């Protein structure tokens, strides 16, 4: 629905204004520091920074994730040093959108990461890019990628895979990324290559540390389990099964990137948010 794209700031600002028009109270100066569970059917408490608290019969967790960044000069989205070069948005990107296919026409593109998302981006961007090079730390693509995707990548004439390789520095020209310094971990040798665009797919960390005391079940990576994914993993105390987006604590729901096995896409997160609200109404009606 956004022909020319939309920034995250503009999208969330518009969403906040719409929520306020419908009568929602939006608190933007406080941080949720702890979720206190008060028993099945009882109101839970959300402790804010400081000593205040909000009571809630139902809670939706939509705290998202922190996408990992390359810890080298030019690749940090919010550099602490204002004088430090920052190429994010000017050659350095975290993830890739469908618009990148046309934007990278004729470019030398480097993709950092070896999971399916990186492979899918490589295939898509290779349709218009001059060249696509995948940089992975491991010894092979098969370690973290589906075999069908590995086969397609290896057959693509303009995709090169460099294993056991890391980015250790960036090169700039006219305040834009123009090259990368690569380290071969097998030989400890470095090489400077021309690069017009680098897209990083190096994972994300869910914002769930503040839920530790609440005992909400999470997977091995810290993402929140819900609905069918809770089966055989936690003790469920109610006679009914958990709703699709309900966590291990009845009345606490989850939506978006912080949910285990979520799609990690804006449209999917928005859809889950709508579904979570519907399930909250069902939960409150049952209670």
């Amino acid at each position: 629905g956004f022909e020319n794209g939309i920034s995250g700031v503009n999208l969330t600002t518009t969403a906040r204004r719409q929520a306020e028009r419908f009568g929602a109270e939006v608190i933007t100066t406080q941080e949720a520091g702890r979720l206190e569970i008060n028993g099945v059917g009882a109101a839970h408490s959300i402790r804010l920074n400081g000593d205040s608290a909000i009571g809630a019969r139902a809670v939706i967790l939509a705290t998202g994730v922190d996408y990992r960044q390359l810890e080298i000069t030019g690749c940090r989205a919010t550099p602490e040093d204002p004088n430090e070069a920052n190429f994010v948005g000017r050659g350095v990107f975290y993830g890739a959108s469908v618009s990148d296919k046309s934007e990278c026409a004729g470019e030398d593109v480097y993709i950092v990461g070896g999971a399916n998302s990186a492979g899918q981006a490589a295939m898509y961007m290779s349709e218009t890019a001059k060249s696509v090079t995948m940089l992975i730390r491991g010894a092979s693509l098969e370690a973290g990628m589906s075999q069908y995707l590995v086969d397609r990548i290896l057959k693509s004439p303009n995709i090169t895979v460099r294993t056991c390789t890391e980015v250790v520095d960036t090169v700039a020209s006219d305040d834009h990324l123009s090259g990368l310094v690569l380290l071969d971990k097998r030989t400890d040798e470095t090489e400077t290559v021309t690069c017009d665009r680098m897209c990083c797919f190096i994972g994300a960390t869910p914002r769930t540390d503040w839920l530790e005391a609440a005992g909400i079940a999470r997977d091995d990576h810290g993402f929140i389990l819900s609905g069918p994914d809770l089966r055989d993993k936690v003790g469920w105390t109610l006679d009914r099964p958990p709703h699709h987006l309900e966590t291990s604590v009845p009345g606490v729901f989850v939506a978006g990137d912080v949910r285990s096995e979520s799609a990690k896409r804006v449209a999917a997160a928005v859809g889950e948010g709508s579904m979570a609200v519907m399930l909250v109404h069902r939960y409150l009606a049952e209670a």
Side-chain angles (χ1 to χ4, degrees), residues 57-82:
R57 293 178 60 197
V59 177
I60 298 175
L61 303 172
T63 50
V65 299
D66 288 314
Y67 284 93
R68 299 189 185 104
Q69 300 178 21
L70 290 175
E71 293 300 320
I72 57 177
T73 301
C75 295
R76 290 184 286 273
T78 54
E80 297 297 333
D81 183 357

Side-chain angles (χ1 to χ4, degrees), residues 235-249:
W236 180 256
T237 58
L238 302 184
D239 293 335
R240 65 165 177 83
H243 294 303
H244 184 67
L245 297 178
E246 195 168 19
T247 71
S248 59
V249 176

Side-chain angles (χ1 to χ4, degrees), residues 186-227:
R186 292 164 296 196
T187 63
D188 284 333
E189 295 180 352
T190 59
E191 175 188 1
T192 302
V193 297
T194 300
C195 173
D196 302 301
R197 179 183 299 258
M198 177 174 64
C199 299
C200 303
F201 297 83
I202 53 177
T205 303
R207 299 190 182 105
T208 56
D209 290 344
W210 69 289
L211 298 172
E212 195 75 41
I216 292 177
R218 295 175 289 173
D219 64 18
D220 294 339
H221 302 287
F223 291 87
I224 298 173
L225 296 168
S226 64

